[in-house]
Amino acid sequence: QVQLVESGGGLVQAGGSLRLSCAATGSISSIGTMTWYREPPGNQRELVASISDGGTATYDDSVKGRFTISRDDDKNTVFLQMDSLKPGDTGSYYCKMIITRAGIRGAYWGQGTQVAVSS
């Protein structure tokens, strides 16, 4: 069994910061790309940031310069540092990891963590 557990969400005022974490547990051989998505209220899930197993990061234009994605492969964890938060960043944030276990590669999702930014 593989589980992704997210933490770090909360309520913050505009201009503030939050740091999200997502840790994978279980029998894991390797982890490829790690990605953060968000789902604004009443909208579809959208990609926020992604980091490859080589450490290359990509961002949606809406968060460039404000958010930083990073990973700790020793702890099977991905982080999302969110600075200069805006009300438009409000939503449910989900992590996804491409994980290989027992020779099989698959996509695994976290349960989501809530981020609310007040104006």
Side-chain angles (χ1 to χ4, degrees):
Q1 288 273 3
V2 172
Q3 285 190 316
L4 273 58
V5 179
E6 300 165 5
S7 60
L11 173 63
V12 65
Q13 288 189 329
S17 298
L18 286 173
R19 181 177 170 87
L20 305 183
S21 299
C22 172
T25 61
S27 179
I28 295 170
S29 298
S30 63
I31 303 179
T33 300
M34 299 177 175
T35 306
W36 284 98
Y37 292 80
R38 68 184 175 194
E39 195 170 296
N43 287 288
Q44 292 183 335
R45 195 170 295 187
E46 59 190 26
L47 189 149
V48 175
S50 185
I51 185 166
S52 71
D53 53 358
T56 300
T58 58
Y59 300 91
D60 183 79
D61 286 345
S62 65
V63 306
K64 279 182 181 177
R66 301 188 298 120
F67 290 11
T68 303
I69 189 171
S70 60
R71 60 191 288 163
D72 183 338
D73 289 323
D74 289 337
K75 297 180 179 179
N76 293 335
T77 300
V78 62
F79 304 96
L80 186 67
Q81 177 67 41
M82 304 187 294
D83 299 318
S84 303
L85 282 161
K86 304 175 180 179
D89 295 318
T90 294
S92 300
Y93 282 70
Y94 300 87
C95 63
K96 184 182 82 172
M97 297 186 187
I98 305 301
I99 294 174
T100 299
R101 56 186 298 266
I104 298 173
R105 188 172 69 172
Y108 294 82
W109 290 84
Q111 81 286 356
T113 186
Q114 302 297 316
V115 171
V117 184
S118 63
S119 58

